[in-house]
Amino acid sequence: MAAVDAQTIGKSYGATAVLDDVSLTFEDGRFTSLLGPSGSGKTTLLRIVAGFVTADRGRILIGGEDVTHVPVWKRAIGMVFQSYALFPHMSVDDNVAFGLARRGVRGAEASRRVGEALEMVRLSGFGARRPKELSGGQQQRVALARAIVTRPRVLLLDEPLSALDRRLRQEMQVELKRIQREVGITTIFVTHDQEEALALSDHVAILDRGRIVQAGSPGEVYERPATRFAASFLGDANFLEGVVADGGVIVGGVLVRTDDALPASGAKALLAVRPEKIALVPAWGAAPAGANAVPATVRQVVYAGAASTYLLDGPGGVALTVFAQNRTGGPVAEAGAAVTLAFPPKQTILIKD
Ligand code: ADP
């Protein structure tokens, strides 16, 4: 059974539709990210699941039970926000025990569960401290311990790492994933950070202006983006626009093939290729047999040590990007060089809209 089921959720503020018929299933034990740009409706959807916001239309099921009209405190959810929202005057122990006391768990049982939760987030021994005596990362661990100590059915995380600096954020990503696995709790994670979504999730749902444009495993949504928006929001993409002919798409006079089923000859088509799927073949080399071979001119090379990014002009003047590891030393081509871009038809994706 799905842990959480959002069914045809609609929400407007005044004349603005914030969520437009959103349906999404959150499987038991799975870590699902709601990924989208600011204002796409992620937080609103999370708050509707939590019960802080009431939807205009649709239903929320938790563990098969319709909770659409059930108040927040009866939904058995745990929540962590971007701001830690710890009680500053209370100790770490008391902060974590807060939700237990409200549920009537006190005394030795409460102490045991607080101890377990702090051990889970690796803060054993910090129970007597006040929040201000902890680092940002430690405070966020306390918030996490407080959310899981009541053994909720669902853990809701609203950009919980975005206040942390880059290094700490990466450390906390690893920690968060470990804790989520160990507890085995169904988790819904709101983020606008695509790398974070890919690194943490079992399932990613991409939102654009109140609609889910694509949902799937990180590999599925990255390798097979369904729309132009999904392709460019989750990672970088090269777009090749042309007309269907000769079993491929003619882009600026060059035939580009794809393994995807094409519309009829004469129709317009849009192809996408990820920058790391393209091999840059110098003028003296040859593209591998069966690969697309597209002539291009290097406009700029951005050297970054381990890898280089090549900005190129392709057929019909289309701007293209290639990302390549510097396996043989520095960049393989300089600005002004004429090169061939080689990429397999299998990695050339037909974009539906
Ligand atoms: P996200 O989390 O993707 O950044 P939100 O769900 O917070 O997006 O917001 C989606 C849209 O709804 C935004 O345009 C925002 O301004 C609007 N919105 C959110 N909450 C309210 C509210 N309480 N009143 C009016 N508009 C709101």
Side-chain angles (χ1 to χ4, degrees), residues 126-144:
F126 287 75
R129 292 204 195 180
R130 296 285 163 95
K132 69 170 190 293
E133 296 165 330
L134 301 175
S135 71
Q138 288 170 334
Q139 289 183 44
Q140 200 54 310
R141 285 170 200 241
V142 176
L144 198 56

Side-chain angles (χ1 to χ4, degrees), residues 245-262:
D246 303 331
V249 178
I250 308 290
V251 181
V254 178
L255 178 69
V256 181
R257 282 166 301 113
T258 170
D259 283 358
D260 296 347
L262 284 167

Side-chain angles (χ1 to χ4, degrees), residues 138-160:
Q138 288 170 334
Q139 289 183 44
Q140 200 54 310
R141 285 170 200 241
V142 176
L144 198 56
R146 189 177 57 178
I148 60 178
V149 75
T150 57
R151 298 178 187 151
R153 288 191 287 191
V154 193
L155 181 61
L156 305 177
L157 306 172
D158 191 358
E159 306 239 11

